Amino acid sequence: MLQSLSIRDIVLIEALDLDFGAGLSVLTGETGAGKSILLDSMGLALGNRADSGLVRQGMEKAQVTATFDAPDPASKLAVYLADNDIEIEPGEPLIIKRSVKADGGSRAFINDQPCSAALLREAGNRLIEIHGQHDDRGLINPRGHRALLDTYAGSDPAKVRQAFEGWQSAKVALEQAIADQEAAEQDREFLEHSVAELSKFAPQPGEEQELALERATMMKGEKLTGDLEAIRAAFDGSNGGLASLRAAARRLDRIGEDHPLLAEALGALDRAVIEAGEAEELLNKAADALMFDPQRLDDMETRLFELRALARKHRVEPETLAKLLTDMETRLAAISDGGRSLKTLEAGLAEAKSSYIAAAEMLRLKRQKAAKALDKAVAGELKPLKLDAARFETLIEPLDELRWGGNGMDRIEFLISTNPGAPLAPLGKIASGGELSRFILALKVALAEEGGAGTIIFDEVDRGVGGAVAAAIGERLAKLSKAAQLLVVTHSPQVASKGDAHFLINKSIAGTVSRTDVAALDGEGRRQEIARMLSGADVTDEARAQADRLLEGV
């Protein structure tokens, strides 16, 4: 709900501060007093285009501040603001501020946090509905009719959206599988040849490193063969060094007891025999490890060359050839199994589509039932509003499958006919200005219990009517104000008399300077203003008496 509106330096308004309460607030004044300026100021605060022409002559900038009740933390407005990093403290009012400079440019703030005009406009649409003579938003725009009907029906399209997303996911999965299958079929010959080639070669993980190490070792052995053989020859045979050491040790053992030094010499010689034996064993092992086998070397080099050639052919590292073979075998198997997989996905797609259609048809039934109730409710409001020849109908039209979506399979639009026998047509294309406002009022009354913006502004909804019709409009506005805060610009005393609060818009001229002011009227002020609306510039006692009768009927 709008709590207050503060305007500074907009056209004829120098400074204006208004406080609003719940219920129906009416704004009256003579033609040209400045009601449009007030609505333009409100539009600026709600994100309309910032026109530098709004700035009062001689001023640098104009500014509007609108204060609203604290939004419910769970409301769509609060969630939208949070999603756009606008912080709202729980229980604190929502304050919108918009300024426009005389030389162009504007700034917008929500609770002192800067925001774009687009964000402000979206937030404003959730806070206030403005219905005027040339309004093309809200109830007139068919894009919002579906949501209004769903709200009236108490239906939630969430299940339909979920089913639609499941259907689309299944469709994407099948399309991808078909594309994969087609690509695999094109690769079948290549895969079969590659799998056969790699299977025959049988690459092993880590094989390149092992072959390269063994090859390097064998090539070292080729260089060291001569030296190793010469060294080993010094150990081998009866005349070899190790045999000589052992013979010397046996002779020394026989005479070692004859002198202590001989015993020490024997110990040293025994150790030498042991060390020499170990050296011989190590030399033999080294010779085996470094053994040069020309055939084995040739085989290793051939294997290593082919391994690396296959890796280059398939543009992979030699280490991953074994994994590549496994992957290719899997892809080749998938081609053969592709038909069965596609059938499974096709069955899943058909099931997902059937689930979506079932959910959408159930939603359609709820909409059709609600549409009948809404048509009846609106029809009941038309006759008292001097629209007894008019017809209202909620169109629910099946969409082509290509246009099905998360909100169902229906196109929904409010249609009217204002003359007997005339065909039904879109709301905004048939009704005249006054008729359009009354149609909107009838719709709003019918939809009053189903929520919407907390504040609704009607600009001259009573244009072109008077008497009983104006009284009927006033009664319906009063009824609607029980569900939402209403601000109504009116020229009708019958409507003005229904207000819970009454504001008078007045323009004054001092020399060459014109100013627009708005004042909240007390009881006597209301009586005098309604009498003026009844009689004109010269307020008569009879007009005051008639004003009293209108006010007593509230």
Side-chain angles (χ1 to χ4, degrees), residues 242-254 266 269 273:
L242 184 56
S244 297
L245 285 174
R246 287 172 178 164
R250 287 194 296 270
R251 284 190 179 188
L252 190 55
D253 183 51
R254 289 197 295 270
L266 178 62
L269 193 56
V273 171

Side-chain angles (χ1 to χ4, degrees), residues 216-271:
T217 302
M218 187 172 288
M219 292 180 71
K220 286 181 182 178
E222 182 182 12
K223 295 179 181 180
L224 299 176
T225 297
D227 291 333
L228 284 174
E229 289 301 324
I231 294 171
R232 290 174 68 193
F235 284 83
D236 289 343
S238 57
N239 294 324
L242 184 56
S244 297
L245 285 174
R246 287 172 178 164
R250 287 194 296 270
R251 284 190 179 188
L252 190 55
D253 183 51
R254 289 197 295 270
I255 62 174
E257 295 178 357
D258 293 339
H259 195 280
L261 291 175
L262 294 176
E264 290 182 15
L266 178 62
L269 193 56
D270 286 340
R271 290 194 296 274

Side-chain angles (χ1 to χ4, degrees), residues 333-352:
I335 296 175
S336 302
D337 188 55
R340 290 190 294 272
S341 299
L342 290 179
K343 287 181 180 179
T344 300
L345 290 172
E346 287 169 353
L349 175 61
E351 183 178 353

Side-chain angles (χ1 to χ4, degrees), residues 317-344:
E317 294 298 322
E319 175 67 23
T320 62
L321 275 176
K323 182 178 182 302
L324 177 65
L325 173 59
T326 301
D327 293 343
M328 286 184 167
E329 288 173 336
T330 301
R331 289 170 60 191
L332 195 56
I335 296 175
S336 302
D337 188 55
R340 290 190 294 272
S341 299
L342 290 179
K343 287 181 180 179
T344 300

Side-chain angles (χ1 to χ4, degrees), residues 2-57:
L2 178 65
Q3 293 181 354
S4 63
L5 182 67
S6 175
I7 303 173
R8 295 291 183 271
D9 297 321
I10 289 189
V11 192
L12 302 180
I13 299 176
E14 181 177 0
L16 183 63
D17 295 290
L18 297 174
D19 294 321
F20 299 97
L24 174 60
S25 295
V26 296
L27 296 93
T28 64
E30 294 182 357
T31 300
K35 294 185 289 296
S36 63
I37 300 174
L38 198 62
L39 292 177
D40 287 343
S41 300
M42 181 67 74
L44 181 65
L46 297 176
N48 287 358
R49 188 176 71 86
D51 185 354
S52 59
L54 291 173
V55 182
R56 193 163 67 93
Q57 187 174 4

Side-chain angles (χ1 to χ4, degrees), residues 69-134:
D69 287 346
D72 184 340
S75 66
K76 292 181 179 179
L77 172 62
V79 172
Y80 174 76
L81 293 176
D83 288 344
N84 286 275
D85 300 322
I86 300 295
E87 298 180 0
I88 305 296
E89 291 295 331
E92 292 296 318
L94 182 67
I95 301 175
I96 291 176
K97 185 183 295 183
R98 183 93 182 277
S99 62
V100 56
K101 294 182 179 180
D103 57 359
S106 69
R107 300 186 69 187
F109 299 86
I110 297 180
N111 280 25
D112 292 328
Q113 299 166 76
C115 67
S116 66
L119 190 152
L120 184 62
R121 187 160 48 251
E122 182 63 30
N125 288 339
R126 299 170 189 265
L127 288 165
I128 293 182
E129 293 179 25
I130 300 179
H131 300 293
Q133 295 295 308
H134 305 291

